[in-house]
Amino acid sequence: MDMEEKFTQNSALRKNTRIVQANSEYRVMTENAVILSVLGLIWLVSGLSGMSKYPEIAILVFFTGLCMLNPITSYTRKSLDIKNSNPLKAMVSCIILGVPAGLILGFFPFYDNINYFFPAFMVLFAFIFALNYFAFKLKMHIALAVMLLSGAIYMGLYYPNNFWMSGLFTASTLLGFALVSKIYGRYKS
């Protein structure tokens, strides 16, 4: 085998490697968009239901939605024919495990002032996204964590009596990042 054939094989191998990496990144970004969309819709529905005089309904909707997160994302992935990836499977597991921790950290301490429930959960979700960034180097998640943490501090300080506003802020942030994730994944493929 002469040098020209080796060079041709090496460049073909590099091209195939780049294609596989782009397809893998597209798949991860598409699944990320699905998970963020489902989370955003859960926050949106619970935020809208928190506009009533009974914020307990919003909390019930929120916990019910989070308990159904794994089946909903699994069904959505199967219907869109998206294969499961390790980083996002770990994120869903962290969120599912974070629900009981959030119940202890976000519900019971703020039962007297229920308006801090959503900001407390925003901090918990920021922590989960930051962990996911450090574990799997998904750069978008550190930006999402910073946005959620900033939003939680802002909502807690300046809008402490608007229970629902934190839910809507988080929903719009998650849905916006889902859209960015889908567009970025499409761009990279």
Side-chain angles (χ1 to χ4, degrees), residues 32-130:
N32 188 33
V34 168
I35 292 171
L36 291 178
S37 297
V38 170
L39 280 173
L41 291 175
I42 291 169
W43 278 87
L44 181 66
V45 170
S46 60
L48 290 174
S49 61
M51 294 173 102
S52 69
K53 293 182 180 182
Y54 305 105
E56 293 84 8
I57 294 172
I59 294 171
L60 180 66
V61 168
F62 184 69
F63 280 125
T64 304
L66 287 181
C67 289
M68 299 298 292
L69 178 67
N70 196 23
I72 292 171
T73 55
S74 296
Y75 177 75
T76 308
R77 274 196 317 263
K78 286 178 185 173
S79 65
L80 295 175
D81 196 32
I82 301 170
K83 296 194 181 342
N84 209 358
S85 65
N86 288 335
L88 300 173
K89 191 187 308 183
M91 183 178 70
V92 170
S93 299
C94 284
I95 290 170
I96 290 171
L97 292 175
V99 170
L103 183 64
I104 294 167
L105 297 173
F107 182 69
F108 294 120
F110 301 117
Y111 189 72
D112 292 334
N113 188 357
I114 204 73
N115 291 323
Y116 291 117
F117 173 78
F118 274 151
F121 260 88
M122 289 169 70
V123 171
L124 178 72
F125 270 72
F127 180 69
I128 289 170
F129 285 118

